[in-house]
Amino acid sequence: MPAATPAPPPSRAALAVPPAPAAPAPPRQPGGPIPPPDRALQEPSGLPEGGALPRISATGLAPMRAYAAVAPPADARPRVAILLADFAMREADSEEALRLLPAAVSLVVSPYAVQPGVLVERARQAGHEFFVSLPMEPRGYPLDDPGHRAMLTGAPPAANAAALRWALSRVGGYVGATGALGSLRGERFAASGQMVAVLEELGRRGVLYVDPRVEGQLPSLPPGAAAPHRVVDLVVDEPAVRTEIEARLARLEELARDRGSALGLASAPTPVTVERLAAWSSLLAARGIVLVPVSALVLPPP
């Protein structure tokens, strides 16, 4: 009797084990790292200098959500936020700010910063969300010079649109933009009709805007047409003197208790400003106030 023909070995396809589904990423925690720039949230700037612009992804994810620092759960306590401008302009001061300040302090990177990449990455790993400065014509122009790539009231709209794209393309992975450029506030341009186009462009690109003009008034736009925005309540370092900074921080707390929240702006990470902010923030919880990222005061709950 002839021997039985052995059955053919199973095919490689039959032996293959379906890959296990990828585990969902663990939820981000307050103080945890900010995600790196995501290509799905970028598009080429089209400028001679290169660079990328923020955009809302195909799935509807906006940069203002993707790169926002996680805030502590909302409760009945008053909330304060600090926006620290001119980060990465002076390396030593910026490094000291990263060493001393809590992750909830939001940072502003100037488009004029030279090679800010290393400091920005360290800030991201330390949990700091950040904004980009938009150079705009200030009240004291031309004596107060916002730089050669600023948006000006006397410039054609096309030139200002190019200046806006340039500023937005200088760094990636930010939650929003602001008119704070060191001690300059862009008052003249922000009060002009051309600010409407800026707010509309930021809204289309899914980023926030913080108006650094205390009690400023932005142009009125239809709901959803402009970027979510908020006006600074108080500048904490004008002048950058210890006693003045302490008095202004105390006033910021009063505003938070009266209104439920308050937003303070610091013009630069000078040694005295950073040291006072660090000491003040370490005692906030004991006084019943929560320090939160700036985005937590601007964005509606997800």
Side-chain angles (χ1 to χ4, degrees):
M1 182 176 177
T5 303
S11 68
R12 294 180 63 88
L15 290 173
V17 177
R28 293 168 54 205
Q29 300 296 322
I34 305 298
D38 184 344
R39 289 186 180 181
L41 299 171
Q42 294 178 324
E43 66 183 23
S45 70
L47 297 172
E49 301 89 340
L53 295 170
R55 70 170 181 180
I56 299 173
S57 77
T59 63
L61 179 63
M64 61 186 173
R65 292 287 186 191
Y67 305 125
V70 177
D75 54 33
R77 291 176 295 174
R79 301 187 299 169
V80 295
I82 293 291
L83 187 63
L84 177 61
D86 254 13
F87 179 78
M89 288 296 283
R90 289 167 293 280
E91 184 175 358
D93 289 349
S94 299
E95 288 179 344
E96 190 71 352
L98 290 180
R99 188 178 72 84
L100 293 178
L101 296 180
V105 173
S106 303
L107 308 174
V108 182
V109 178
S110 169
Y112 298 126
V114 179
Q115 297 182 335
V118 172
L119 282 168
V120 167
E121 179 57 28
R122 287 181 54 195
R124 201 191 312 274
Q125 289 299 316
H128 296 273
E129 69 181 19
F130 66 98
F131 290 67
V132 64
S133 290
L134 302 182
M136 302 190 299
E137 183 178 327
R139 181 182 295 115
Y141 181 80
L143 293 178
D144 292 331
D145 185 4
H148 67 293
R149 302 300 289 265
M151 292 179 280
L152 303 174
T153 57
N160 285 328
L164 174 61
R165 291 195 302 273
W166 175 82
L168 294 176
S169 68
R170 301 306 293 165
V171 66
Y174 48 84
V175 72
T178 177
L181 184 73
S183 62
L184 303 183
R185 308 281 183 266
E187 295 93 347
R188 283 187 187 170
F189 189 87
S192 74
Q194 293 205 55
M195 190 64 189
V196 171
V198 173
L199 295 174
E200 291 176 337
E201 180 76 3
L202 297 179
R204 284 194 296 270
R205 297 195 172 280
V207 295
L208 309 174
Y209 183 71
V210 171
D211 188 346
R213 304 170 301 155
V214 176
E215 300 179 354
Q217 185 68 42
L218 290 170
S220 179
L221 294 173
H229 53 272
R230 175 153 178 157
V231 178
V232 163
D233 294 301
L234 187 148
V235 180
V236 303
D237 60 344
E238 288 185 344
V241 177
R242 176 180 178 133
T243 54
E244 292 290 338
I245 293 172
E246 291 173 345
R248 288 173 179 264
L249 290 173
R251 175 57 181 157
L252 194 66
E253 290 185 43
E254 292 177 5
L255 292 174
R257 291 190 178 94
D258 291 343
R259 304 174 183 177
S261 67
L263 172 56
L265 170 67
S267 302
T270 60
V272 64
T273 299
V274 168
E275 190 270 333
R276 286 296 85 206
L277 284 174
W280 167 78
S281 61
S282 69
L283 300 173
L284 275 179
R287 295 198 288 270
I289 295 179
V290 183
L291 181 67
V292 299
V294 170
S295 62
L297 299 189
V298 186
L299 284 172

